[in-house]
Amino acid sequence: MTRRDVFEYALLRVVPRVERGECFNAGVLVYCRAHSFVAARTHLDEVKLRALDPDADVVGVRAALLAVEGVCGGGEGAGQAAGDDAGRRFRWLIAPRSTVVQPGAVHSGLTTDPAGEVERLFGLLVR
């Protein structure tokens, strides 16, 4: 039997106008401790963004989403988190913030392929 490991994931939501509470999914974060794995996949739907806020800062929102991917990737792209392990980077990214790009609740599951979970969840919940 193939070994399945616990993984955690959270959606990244774009909330263009926090006071209205409207949001849409723009990415997924996946963490698997057993594999020291953390990754994110994002996609900004500009049509949805502009429908919720015609004056939204598209460039700023896209930069925030790409920054999440950079932190997950580690190295120079992770900024101050470059030296942190995968779990610490994941926990930092899922911490609640009052911002346009917000993490959702953390969920868990079992997987044999954490990278495959990123793509599966992205296709199911974001695209």
Side-chain angles (χ1 to χ4, degrees):
M1 180 173 198
T2 304
R3 178 182 146 173
R4 297 183 333 160
D5 296 303
V6 174
F7 76 97
E8 297 173 81
Y9 73 94
L11 289 170
L12 293 173
R13 302 179 302 217
V14 173
V15 187
R17 294 179 57 194
V18 177
E19 69 278 8
R20 292 184 62 151
E22 299 167 328
C23 65
F24 63 93
N25 296 339
V28 64
L29 289 161
V30 172
Y31 168 61
C32 182
R33 180 178 177 192
H35 293 262
S36 297
F37 176 88
V38 65
R41 176 107 188 265
T42 64
H43 168 74
L44 179 58
D45 186 330
E46 290 184 35
V47 173
K48 285 182 184 176
L49 178 59
R50 294 219 184 269
L52 296 177
D53 183 0
D55 299 322
D57 178 4
V58 175
V59 173
V61 173
R62 181 170 284 112
L65 290 169
L66 291 175
V68 170
E69 290 186 24
V71 169
C72 286
E76 289 183 26
Q80 291 181 347
D84 291 342
D85 64 33
R88 190 172 172 121
R89 291 194 312 270
F90 179 75
R91 298 285 173 235
W92 184 81
L93 289 168
I94 62 167
R97 294 175 180 78
S98 178
T99 183
V100 173
V101 175
Q102 299 179 1
V106 175
H107 306 280
S108 62
L110 295 171
T111 188
T112 58
D113 178 16
E117 292 300 332
V118 175
E119 294 306 315
R120 183 183 73 80
L121 292 168
F122 182 77
L124 181 67
L125 303 171
V126 178
R127 284 290 192 166

